[in-house]
C-alpha cells in the first residue's frame, strides 16, 4: 500500500480508490503502481482523508474555484500583453508598451526603444 495510513479516508473514498485500482490493473498496470495511482486520483479529487476540525479547510471549494478562474484570466491577459490595472508605463514590458502604442496608432513605434515608447505614449496622453 502507498505510504501513510488510510484510516482517515471515508468509506466512499476507499471504495473509489479500490474501483480505480481495479480499472488500472485491468489495463495491465502493475498492482503497486495501480494502487498508487488510485490513491493519487482520490487525493486530487477530494483533497485527501477527513480533516480534523480546523486543519486547512478555511476556504470553500467554490471560493477556490473562483480564485483559480480569475487567476487563469489574468494569466491569459498577461500573455496577450494587456496591461495590469493600475500599472505605470515604467513598470510595463516593451511588449505591453508596443500594444498600447499600436492601439493609439503611434507612428514609428516598431523602431522605438522602450524609453522612446514611454515618452511617445505620455505625449499621446
Amino acid at each position: 500500500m502507498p505510504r501513510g495510513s488510510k484510516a482517515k479516508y471515508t468509506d466512499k473514498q476507499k471504495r473509489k480508490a479500490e474501483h480505480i485500482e481495479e480499472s488500472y490493473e485491468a489495463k495491465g498496470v502493475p498492482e503497486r503502481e495501480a494502487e498508487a495511482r488510485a490513491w493519487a486520483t482520490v487525493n486530487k479529487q477530494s483533497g485527501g482523508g477527513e480533516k480534523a476540525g480546523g486543519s486547512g479547510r478555511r476556504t470553500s471549494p467554490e471560493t477556490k474555484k473562483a480564485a483559480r478562474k480569475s487567476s487563469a484570466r489574468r494569466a491569459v491577459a498577461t500573455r496577450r500583453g494587456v496591461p495590469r490595472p493600475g500599472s505605470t508605463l515604467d513598470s510595463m514590458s516593451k511588449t505591453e508598451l508596443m500594444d498600447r502604442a499600436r492601439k493609439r496608432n503611434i507612428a514609428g513605434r516598431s523602431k522605438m526603444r522602450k524609453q522612446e515608447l514611454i515618452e511617445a505614449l505620455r505625449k499621446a496622453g
Side-chain angles (χ1 to χ4, degrees):
M1 182 175 262
R3 290 189 302 171
S5 169
K6 303 301 178 216
K8 294 237 176 194
Y9 286 86
T10 63
D11 289 337
K12 182 178 179 181
Q13 289 172 315
K14 290 175 185 176
R15 284 192 310 272
K16 187 181 224 178
E18 189 176 329
H19 177 73
I20 294 168
E21 181 182 348
E22 289 170 3
S23 175
Y24 276 123
E25 287 175 359
K27 293 177 184 176
V29 175
E31 185 178 339
R32 289 185 69 162
E33 176 68 18
E35 187 174 15
R37 286 185 188 183
W39 283 108
T41 304
V42 169
N43 286 336
K44 186 172 185 177
Q45 290 176 348
S46 62
E50 294 174 353
K51 305 285 190 246
S55 68
R57 291 244 172 135
R58 293 191 174 109
T59 333
S60 70
E62 293 82 22
T63 306
K64 284 185 181 181
K65 186 176 181 180
R68 280 194 302 272
K69 191 172 185 178
S70 73
S71 174
R73 284 187 178 147
R74 285 193 311 272
V76 168
T78 301
R79 282 193 296 270
R80 287 189 193 142
V82 176
R84 294 170 298 279
S87 61
T88 62
L89 293 176
D90 294 323
S91 66
M92 290 183 180
S93 69
K94 186 173 179 186
T95 306
E96 292 172 321
L97 294 168
M98 284 293 286
D99 283 346
R100 280 210 171 172
R102 188 177 304 114
K103 288 175 185 169
R104 293 185 183 168
N105 292 322
I106 295 175
R109 65 184 173 268
S110 63
K111 294 179 183 167
M112 291 183 186
R113 293 190 183 106
K114 183 176 178 177
Q115 195 57 44
E116 292 170 326
L117 282 168
I118 292 171
E119 291 168 13
L121 285 165
R122 285 190 177 138
K123 285 180 188 173

